[in-house]
Amino acid sequence: WVLYVVLAFVGNGMCSTVQKVQQLNQAGLYKNEFMIVALVISAIAMGIFALCTEKKKVLPHLKAGFLLYTANGLANGITNFLVIFLSLRTPASVMFPVISAGGIVLTFLISLFFYKEKLSKWQILGSALGLVSVIFLNL
């Protein structure tokens, strides 16, 4: 579990960093090309990973979750496009904390209102500490 958390943490941080560097190096150009190349590389990597780890389950899972996977991909694509678009227009000291805190708050609200989850005191405390940590990191 910790390995997946670390991979998600590093991967998510690297995505924003690479997007910012690409936009600074290319003077705000080639946003769409960058997104297409990133999507193709991600799709190939995830396809290889899925085939190597769960050969027999890949197709049934793709069929069963097609609409959710598509919605998730669109939301992720829109988020990444907005990060690229805003990277030259918004200071990093504002943009990255908003992305980090926004993700925590949005996940918390969706779990409460959309999925109707009954969160324990520890889960609420964990979400609050995550939000507070993002605030303290950016003071």
Side-chain angles (χ1 to χ4, degrees), residues 104 108 119-133:
I104 294 170
F108 182 79
L119 299 177
S120 70
K121 290 178 184 178
W122 288 108
Q123 290 170 319
I124 294 170
L125 179 64
S127 296
L129 286 175
L131 186 60
V132 168
S133 68

Coordinates of all heavy atoms in Angstrom, one line a residue, residues 104 108 119-133:
I104 N -7.9 17.6 -2.1 CA -8.3 17.0 -0.8 C -9.7 17.4 -0.5 O -10.5 16.5 -0.1 CB -7.3 17.5 0.3 CG1 -5.9 17.0 0.1 CG2 -7.9 17.2 1.7 CD1 -4.9 17.6 1.0
F108 N -12.9 14.8 -0.4 CA -13.7 14.7 0.9 C -15.2 14.9 0.6 O -16.1 14.2 1.1 CB -13.1 15.7 1.9 CG -13.8 15.7 3.2 CD1 -13.5 14.7 4.1 CD2 -14.8 16.6 3.5 CE1 -14.1 14.7 5.4 CE2 -15.4 16.6 4.8 CZ -15.0 15.6 5.7
L119 N -17.9 8.7 7.3 CA -16.5 8.8 7.6 C -16.3 8.7 9.1 O -17.0 9.3 9.9 CB -15.9 10.1 7.1 CG -15.9 10.2 5.6 CD1 -15.3 11.6 5.1 CD2 -15.1 9.1 4.9
S120 N -15.2 8.0 9.6 CA -14.9 8.0 11.0 C -14.2 9.2 11.4 O -13.8 10.1 10.6 CB -14.0 6.8 11.3 OG -12.7 7.0 10.7
K121 N -14.1 9.4 12.7 CA -13.4 10.6 13.2 C -12.0 10.6 12.7 O -11.4 11.7 12.4 CB -13.4 10.6 14.7 CG -14.8 10.9 15.3 CD -14.8 10.8 16.8 CE -16.2 11.0 17.3 NZ -16.3 10.9 18.8
W122 N -11.3 9.4 12.6 CA -9.9 9.4 12.1 C -9.8 9.8 10.7 O -8.9 10.4 10.3 CB -9.4 8.0 12.3 CG -9.1 7.7 13.8 CD1 -9.8 6.8 14.6 CD2 -8.1 8.2 14.6 NE1 -9.3 6.8 15.8 CE2 -8.2 7.7 15.9 CE3 -7.1 9.2 14.4 CZ2 -7.4 8.0 16.9 CZ3 -6.2 9.5 15.4 CH2 -6.4 8.9 16.7
Q123 N -10.8 9.4 9.9 CA -10.8 9.8 8.4 C -11.0 11.3 8.3 O -10.4 11.9 7.5 CB -11.9 9.0 7.7 CG -11.5 7.5 7.5 CD -12.7 6.7 7.0 OE1 -13.8 7.0 7.4 NE2 -12.4 5.8 6.1
I124 N -11.9 11.8 9.1 CA -12.1 13.3 9.0 C -10.9 14.0 9.5 O -10.4 15.0 8.9 CB -13.4 13.7 9.9 CG1 -14.6 13.1 9.2 CG2 -13.5 15.2 10.0 CD1 -15.9 13.2 10.1
L125 N -10.3 13.5 10.6 CA -9.0 14.1 11.1 C -7.9 14.0 10.1 O -7.2 15.0 9.9 CB -8.6 13.4 12.4 CG -7.3 13.9 13.0 CD1 -7.5 15.4 13.5 CD2 -6.9 13.1 14.2
G126 N -7.8 12.9 9.4 CA -6.8 12.7 8.4 C -7.0 13.7 7.2 O -6.0 14.3 6.7
S127 N -8.2 13.9 6.8 CA -8.5 14.9 5.7 C -8.1 16.3 6.2 O -7.5 17.1 5.4 CB -9.9 14.8 5.3 OG -10.2 13.5 4.7
A128 N -8.5 16.6 7.4 CA -8.2 18.0 7.9 C -6.7 18.2 8.0 O -6.2 19.2 7.7 CB -8.9 18.1 9.3
L129 N -6.0 17.2 8.5 CA -4.5 17.3 8.6 C -3.9 17.4 7.3 O -2.9 18.2 7.1 CB -4.0 16.1 9.4 CG -4.2 16.1 10.9 CD1 -3.7 14.8 11.5 CD2 -3.6 17.3 11.6
G130 N -4.4 16.7 6.3 CA -3.9 16.9 4.9 C -4.1 18.3 4.4 O -3.1 18.9 3.8
L131 N -5.2 18.8 4.6 CA -5.5 20.2 4.2 C -4.6 21.2 4.9 O -4.0 22.1 4.4 CB -7.0 20.5 4.4 CG -7.4 21.9 3.9 CD1 -7.2 22.0 2.4 CD2 -8.9 22.0 4.2
V132 N -4.5 21.0 6.3 CA -3.6 21.9 7.1 C -2.2 21.8 6.6 O -1.5 22.8 6.6 CB -3.8 21.6 8.6 CG1 -2.8 22.3 9.4 CG2 -5.2 22.0 9.0
S133 N -1.7 20.6 6.3 CA -0.3 20.4 5.9 C -0.1 21.1 4.6 O 1.0 21.7 4.4 CB 0.0 18.9 5.8 OG -0.7 18.3 4.7

